[in-house]
Amino acid sequence: MIDANAVADRVAHVRSVINEAGGTDVSLVAVTKSFGIDALRAASTAKCDAVGENYAQELLEKTAEGMPLIDVHFIGALQSNKVRLLAGHIALWQSVDRESVVDELGRRSPGASILIQVDTTGEPSKGGVTPPQLDALRARAESRGLIVKGLMTIGPTDGMQEECEKSFGMLRHLVNEQGLSVCSMGMSADYPIAVACGSTMVRVGSGLFGDRVRVTN
Ligand SMILES: *Cc1c(COP(=O)(O)O)cnc(C)c1O
C-alpha cells in the first residue's frame, strides 16, 4: 500500500535537495514501475510533473483501472513491437535508441515527443546510442515527424561521484551541442549529482515509494 502523505513528504524532500544542488527548473518524474495505480495517484496529488513507467503490459493494466491524472513517460527498454500498445498513453518517450522504434513511432504516434537515450557509461545492459550515433538517429526521428526534445541517460550502477559526474557531464555536453532543452538524468541514488551537472529532469522511484519487488516482464 502506498501512503500518499508519506509520498508527498518525500516529494517535498526531493524538491528541496534539488534546490540545494542548484536546480532551478527541474522536472520530477516519479517512477512507478512495480507499484500500483495508487502510486500514480499519489504522484499526481503530490504534484510530481509526470510518472515514469518501464513495462508496456504493466502500464496497460494500470490504465485499465482508470486513466492517470498525470502525464506518463515511457522510460523502459523499448522495442518496436511495444509501440503500438503504448501509443496514446505516453506524453514523452524517454528511451528511444534505435531506428526501428523511431520508424514505428512515426507510424503509430505521429508528432510524438521523444528523448534519445544515450549510453554514457558503456555498461551493456543499459541501452542508448553511442554519442557518434546521435546525429543520425536524431535526423531520422525528425524526418519521421517526431519532436526530439532532448536526451536521456542512466548513470553508472553503484557509481562513485567521479564516475557519475563523467557520465552526466557527457550528457549535458551533448544536450548543449545539439541545442536541445531536456536533459533527463538522475535517479534516487544520484540525482543530486545529476542536478549539479545540469539535469533538467530527474527520475526518482524508490526514493519516493520505497523498495521495489523485482519485476521481470
Ligand atoms: C527504475 C528507473 C528509475 C528509477 O530508479 P530508482 O533508483 O528507483 O530511483 C529511473 N530511470 C529509469 C530509466 C529506470 O528504469
Side-chain angles (χ1 to χ4, degrees):
M1 269 313 278
I2 294 289
D3 175 346
N5 290 324
V7 170
D9 288 346
R10 292 189 193 137
V11 166
H13 171 74
V14 168
R15 295 231 191 248
S16 79
V17 171
I18 288 171
N19 283 342
E20 280 161 34
T24 47
D25 202 5
V26 177
S27 301
L28 173 55
V29 178
V31 176
T32 43
K33 65 175 168 228
S34 91
F35 297 105
I37 190 78
D38 49 342
L40 285 77
R41 292 196 183 109
S44 171
T45 303
K47 302 238 178 331
C48 292
D49 297 283
V51 293
E53 288 280 344
N54 290 60
Y55 305 103
Q57 203 54 47
E58 188 189 321
L59 173 60
L60 294 178
E61 282 163 21
K62 292 176 198 180
T63 57
E65 295 179 54
M67 281 308 282
L69 299 164
I70 185 168
D71 279 353
V72 178
H73 293 186
F74 196 78
I75 63 171
L78 186 54
Q79 289 104 30
S80 53
N81 62 354
K82 302 290 183 205
V83 167
R84 186 177 56 81
L85 297 173
L86 290 164
H89 297 287
I90 303 300
L92 181 64
W93 303 80
Q94 290 214 18
S95 43
V96 176
D97 71 352
R98 65 195 68 181
E99 292 181 350
S100 58
V101 166
V102 159
D103 293 354
E104 187 67 358
L105 277 169
R107 279 191 288 269
R108 304 285 184 182
S109 198
S113 292
I114 71 166
L115 306 182
I116 294 176
Q117 184 176 346
V118 181
D119 173 10
T120 57
T121 64
E123 290 175 35
S125 60
K126 296 211 159 121
V129 297
T130 64
Q133 296 168 326
L134 184 52
D135 281 338
L137 193 62
R138 179 180 180 184
R140 190 171 182 113
E142 289 174 344
S143 80
R144 300 295 189 275
L146 304 177
I147 314 291
V148 180
K149 300 257 185 192
L151 307 180
M152 182 273 247
T153 201
I154 301 174
T157 301
D158 301 324
M160 306 303 282
Q161 173 151 351
E162 232 169 82
E163 297 162 286
C164 293
E165 286 170 349
K166 183 159 169 262
S167 152
F168 297 144
M170 188 186 302
L171 194 75
R172 184 66 244 185
H173 174 78
L174 291 167
V175 167
N176 293 351
E177 203 171 66
Q178 295 278 328
L180 295 168
S181 56
V182 179
C183 184
S184 174
M185 57 190 193
M187 317 196 338
S188 298
D190 56 20
Y191 73 91
I193 304 173
V195 169
C197 292
S199 173
T200 68
M201 183 176 279
V202 297
R203 310 176 307 267
V204 180
S206 48
L208 298 179
F209 303 112
D211 289 339
R212 281 182 293 275
V213 182
R214 207 176 154 74
V215 284
T216 50
N217 59 321

